[in-house]
Amino acid sequence: GQSLEQPSEVTAVEGAIVQINCTYQTSGFYGLSWYQQHDGGAPTFLSYNALDGLEETGRFSSFLSRSDSYGYLLLQELQMKDSASYFCAVRRLDSNYQLIWGAGTKLIIKP
Amino acid sequence: SAVISQKPSRDICQRGTSLTIQCQVDSQVTMMFWYRQQPGQSLTLIATANQGSEATYESGFVIDKFPISRPNLTFSTLTVSNMSPEDSSIYLCSVQLAGGPTDTQYFGPGTRLTVL
């Protein structure tokens, strides 16, 4: 089957850097996606990695290592508004683009 | 990206009644999905809404309980039938845009349902 594992909660200080890890198990792999969801809001797409390496988008970066079945989301210069839940996801095999979702990581930012 | 609207945004319903949730997208989409999410939990896929044909349901979800329609490419409805308090949740529609980035889904704002 397919599964993803990510920490349930991460705490960091405003202005710092935080890394949210995601490991996945799947017999086939297309790429790893990251989504952000604020309390009471809908998930919003952050990034997608299909190839090994680091993708940077402003303060957010996402990394993928296909050989290690591992990726992470890196948030720099943390702001209070970054307090949210972060989900990693992979495409479900033999599907019409359905996604398998991690359980989510709640990021708590302290002043 | 796309603008996705859902109606209603929230509702409080009585046990045994039904609620229909609408999802409208302002762009051409390939796939439409319906999810359920409990507070603090991950997303659970209910079904894939197929244009002009029956939806594809995930294990644990059945058409009699969650009938879905998708009469055209940009509109879908999800009905929660014969509701019980266990159906209290947030219901989200999501879409994959035609020509959009791979494995990228865009979500509506959600419908917060409370069943008494």
Side-chain angles (χ1 to χ4, degrees):
Chain A
Q2 295 175 277
S3 64
L4 300 100
E5 191 169 322
Q6 50 181 132
S8 59
E9 188 176 290
V10 171
T11 301
V13 178
E14 190 175 15
I17 299 172
V18 71
Q19 179 174 310
I20 298 173
N21 299 320
C22 175
T23 57
Y24 56 87
Q25 288 186 322
T26 178
S27 55
F29 179 78
Y30 296 93
L32 184 69
S33 303
W34 288 93
Y35 290 77
Q36 178 192 59
Q37 185 178 31
H38 288 98
D39 283 348
T44 57
F45 172 76
L46 287 178
S47 67
Y48 176 76
N49 294 68
L51 303 175
D52 287 354
L54 191 68
E55 297 272 349
E56 298 183 54
T57 307
R59 294 187 298 112
F60 292 10
S61 303
S62 57
F63 172 83
L64 177 66
S65 169
R66 295 172 69 110
S67 60
D68 295 324
S69 298
Y70 162 76
Y72 65 73
L73 183 67
L74 189 74
L75 294 79
Q76 302 183 73
E77 303 172 18
L78 283 172
Q79 302 175 9
M80 297 304 293
K81 68 178 182 180
D82 298 328
S83 296
S85 292
Y86 293 85
F87 295 90
C88 57
V90 297
R91 192 196 304 186
R92 199 168 79 186
L93 299 178
D94 299 325
S95 74
N96 288 328
Y97 299 98
Q98 286 95 348
L99 296 179
I100 302 290
W101 297 83
T105 298
K106 186 175 180 64
L107 175 60
I108 299 170
I109 300 174
K110 298 185 175 180
Chain B
S1 64
V3 176
I4 305 168
S5 60
Q6 268 186 250
K7 292 193 296 186
S9 59
R10 61 177 63 230
D11 208 340
I12 301 173
C13 301
Q14 296 297 318
R15 181 195 300 260
T17 62
S18 298
L19 176 72
T20 296
I21 304 168
Q22 298 180 5
C23 178
Q24 178 74 56
V25 189
D26 72 343
S27 304
Q28 291 299 310
V29 305
T30 53
M31 309 294 296
M32 293 185 80
F33 306 100
W34 286 98
Y35 287 90
R36 184 167 74 181
Q37 186 180 34
Q38 300 285 357
Q41 302 294 314
S42 188
L43 296 144
T44 300
L45 182 64
I46 297 171
T48 302
N50 300 310
Q51 188 207 353
S53 64
E54 189 173 295
T56 304
Y57 290 85
E58 298 301 304
S59 175
F61 297 95
V62 295
I63 188 172
D64 290 345
K65 176 67 176 177
F66 298 100
I68 289 170
S69 76
R70 188 180 171 191
N72 58 54
L73 285 174
T74 60
F75 181 80
S76 178
T77 66
L78 166 73
T79 299
V80 186
S81 304
N82 188 25
M83 288 183 286
S84 67
E86 292 70 36
D87 295 319
S88 297
S89 189
I90 298 168
Y91 292 84
L92 295 150
C93 70
S94 78
V95 303
Q96 177 139 1
L97 298 181
T102 305
D103 291 348
T104 300
Q105 292 187 14
Y106 299 91
F107 286 81
T111 297
R112 185 178 295 270
L113 172 62
T114 302
V115 184
L116 303 177

